[in-house]
């Protein structure tokens, strides 16, 4: 089977030496010619995985309601950006926009609607999804291209796709885990020479046995820094939803998903989704350092608090039993403790400086 990205990664390793897990992840996900997000159609039942906005419109409706109340609490600032980063198919933005038009047309019409997407292919798909909304939407590649004004931002399953670094405990101490070649020229994990900043490691790293793995994510920290810095300067709120943990500890969470099943991380570069769990404590600490107000909840708790059951009840009221059954399944999928409800977390970081009385 031809494996152009695998061949190229192997050639790079032969020429330049083993690569970090972070570089391997970046190549697999965003390589311009063979990357997973640049060339594939990952989402939905026919794809490799289903995200919360693809499960049900209720997800986007409730996230939009929370974002709208943040805008109101901050004194309804305009101009402002209403942005989504890493929007996948564009489903979440479509659902949020529809909801905001009903909840608060002043926000829906007054805010600049901006999609931040690294993949041209997915940006094209997002344009198609949003065409029915007849809204003026702009596309950008980086957060840094956004105008200097309050930012109301949503990102679902973005941070898990940003590269992580891994370190493995060896008899000599922690060493960076790298992707190397074995005697047959196949990709394999190995211990490299790099060492982590040990002050950043979780408490249980101290007594970890040889072979233990620990993860750090400078690319995620850098993005969170940029979001928090902007919101601290210009005002706004970010709602960041992802799977991950609130208490950091040692462990290997790097995983490949293909056709709704786990696959080998090194087996099919560019053909499977590669992700790792998000360290929410690290992201929250960055936001706090910038003076932002921070809320962290499990997804199930957040959605139920925002009225998931009432919304499902209202959507089901006009329909038949089949519809009600489907809504009940969707509720379970989004909020059930052994489904997305506990593993997924919702981190909300917002500007406390602009918080004022609700003028509406
Ligand atoms: N939010 C969507 C898709 C999640 S998949 C959903 O919930 O269905 C991750 C998304 O982030 C994809 O759209 C991918 O192309 C995008 N992405 C990955 N890295 C990115 C980066 N550095 N900047 C912007 N978008 C990125």
């Amino acid at each position: 089977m031809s494996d152009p990205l695998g061949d190229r990664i192997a050639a790079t390793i032969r020429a330049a030496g083993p690569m970090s897990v972070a570089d391997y992840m970046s190549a697999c996900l965003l390589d311009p010619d063979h990357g997973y997000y640049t060339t594939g159609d990952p989402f939905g039942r026919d794809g490799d995985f289903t995200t919360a906005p693809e499960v049900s419109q209720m997800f986007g409706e409730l996230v939009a309601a929370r974002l709208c109340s943040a805008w109101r609490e901050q004194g309804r600032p305009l101009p402002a950006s209403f942005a989504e980063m890493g929007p996948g198919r564009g489903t979440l933005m479509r659902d949020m926009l529809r909801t905001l038009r009903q909840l608060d047309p002043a926000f829906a019409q007054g805010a600049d609607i901006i999609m931040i997407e690294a993949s041209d292919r997915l940006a094209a798909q997002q344009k198609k999804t949003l065409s029915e909304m007849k809204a003026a939407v702009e596309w950008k590649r980086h957060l840094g291209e956004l105008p200097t004004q309050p930012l109301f931002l949503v990102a679902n399953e973005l941070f898990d796709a940003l590269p992580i670094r891994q370190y493995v405990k060896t008899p000599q101490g922690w060493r960076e885990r790298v992707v190397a070649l074995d005697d047959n020229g196949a990709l394999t994990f190995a211990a490299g020479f790099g060492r982590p900043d040990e002050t950043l490691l979780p408490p249980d790293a101290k007594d970890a046995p040889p072979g233990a793995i620990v993860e750090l994510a400078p690319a995620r920290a850098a993005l969170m820094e940029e979001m928090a810095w902007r919101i601290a300067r210009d005002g706004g709120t970010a709602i960041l939803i992802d799977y991950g943990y609130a208490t950091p500890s040692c462990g290997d969470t790097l995983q490949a998903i293909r056709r709704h099943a786990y696959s080998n991380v090194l087996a099919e570069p560019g053909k499977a989704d590669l992700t790792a769990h998000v360290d929410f404590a690290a992201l929250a600490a960055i936001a706090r350092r910038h003076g932002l107000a921070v809320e962290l909840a499990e997804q199930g708790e957040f959605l139920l608090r925002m009225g998931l059951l009432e919304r499902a009840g209202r959507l089901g009221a006009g329909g038949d039993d089949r519809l009600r059954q489907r809504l009940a399944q969707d509720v379970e999928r989004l909020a059930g403790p052994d489904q997305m409800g506990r593993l997924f977390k919702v981190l909300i970081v917002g500007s406390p400086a602009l918080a004022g009385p609700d003028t509406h």
Side-chain angles (χ1 to χ4, degrees):
M1 206 176 73
S2 100
D3 178 10
L5 185 57
D7 292 347
R8 205 155 78 211
I9 289 172
T12 306
I13 294 173
R14 244 176 255 118
M19 63 172 68
S20 67
V21 170
D23 287 345
Y24 178 74
M25 259 182 105
S26 300
C28 290
L29 293 177
L30 291 174
D31 179 87
D33 302 317
H34 308 291
Y36 183 71
Y37 290 123
T38 32
T39 60
D41 184 13
F43 311 104
R45 277 180 232 288
D46 303 328
D48 294 309
F49 56 92
T50 307
T51 57
E54 304 293 338
V55 169
S56 166
Q57 67 182 69
M58 295 185 287
F59 182 79
E61 291 169 349
L62 298 172
V63 171
R66 183 63 184 81
L67 202 67
C68 187
S69 61
W71 182 70
R72 290 174 175 175
E73 282 159 17
Q74 294 185 30
R76 309 167 65 84
L78 285 177
S81 304
F82 166 35
E84 182 181 351
M85 188 160 181
R89 277 181 169 170
T91 309
L92 176 57
M93 181 52 95
R94 188 188 60 196
D95 292 338
M96 291 196 294
L97 207 51
R98 193 186 56 246
T99 307
L100 286 173
R101 282 177 177 167
Q102 286 166 5
L103 276 181
D104 203 325
F107 184 44
Q109 282 156 24
D112 298 320
I113 304 166
I114 304 174
M115 305 278 266
I116 309 163
E117 172 57 66
S119 152
D120 293 337
R121 195 171 181 286
L122 287 174
Q125 199 170 26
Q126 291 153 17
K127 282 179 189 152
K128 227 159 92 192
T129 305
L130 290 184
S131 61
E132 67 187 67
M133 300 306 291
K134 312 243 175 301
V137 182
E138 286 175 81
W139 271 262
K140 310 269 187 209
R141 282 186 157 263
H142 304 285
L143 196 61
E145 297 169 58
L146 263 54
T148 304
Q149 58 193 23
L151 169 62
F152 294 86
L153 175 81
V154 173
N156 186 59
E157 291 210 39
L158 168 69
F159 279 87
D160 71 58
L162 299 182
I164 55 154
R165 287 178 172 264
Q166 289 190 325
Y167 297 88
V168 55
K169 185 79 172 272
T170 72
Q172 288 75 41
W174 291 100
R175 292 289 181 273
E176 178 145 27
R177 195 178 190 216
V178 292
V179 177
L181 297 177
D182 67 14
D183 293 345
N184 300 318
L187 298 179
T188 185
F189 284 114
F193 299 105
R195 297 173 189 208
D197 174 351
E198 300 212 5
T199 62
L200 298 176
L201 300 185
D204 63 343
K206 229 169 132 256
D207 304 315
I213 287 175
V214 71
E215 300 178 337
L216 293 177
R220 296 173 180 178
L223 179 61
M224 189 68 215
E225 284 283 350
E226 196 182 349
M227 285 179 183
W229 169 79
R230 276 186 164 265
I231 290 175
R233 185 191 62 184
D234 305 331
T237 290
I239 304 182
L240 310 170
I241 308 127
D242 229 305
Y243 52 108
Y245 43 88
T247 312
S249 68
C250 291
D252 174 11
T253 74
L254 185 63
Q255 61 186 33
I257 302 260
R258 191 168 189 199
R259 305 217 174 86
H260 302 271
Y262 291 107
S263 94
N264 183 322
V265 168
L266 298 179
E268 307 175 289
K271 299 208 177 74
D273 188 34
L274 270 194
T275 64
H277 287 204
V278 172
D279 178 353
F280 277 98
L283 300 186
I286 292 170
R288 284 197 190 96
R289 270 207 304 281
H290 284 268
L292 302 186
V294 172
E295 279 171 52
L296 179 62
E298 290 175 350
Q299 175 168 303
E301 180 193 346
F302 168 80
L303 292 175
L304 291 171
R305 203 178 342 118
M306 290 304 300
L308 179 65
L309 298 179
E310 295 78 357
R311 184 65 191 140
R314 212 164 319 139
L315 285 172
D320 55 14
D321 280 351
R322 248 187 70 201
L323 175 68
R324 276 191 288 274
Q325 211 170 10
R326 210 202 72 210
L327 287 163
Q329 273 168 10
D330 293 348
V331 165
E332 189 54 32
R333 185 88 193 269
L334 292 174
D338 49 0
Q339 304 221 20
M340 301 176 97
R342 300 206 69 175
L343 177 59
F344 280 73
K345 313 279 186 294
V346 182
L347 175 65
I348 305 179
V349 304
S351 162
L354 291 180
D358 191 344
T359 53
H360 203 56

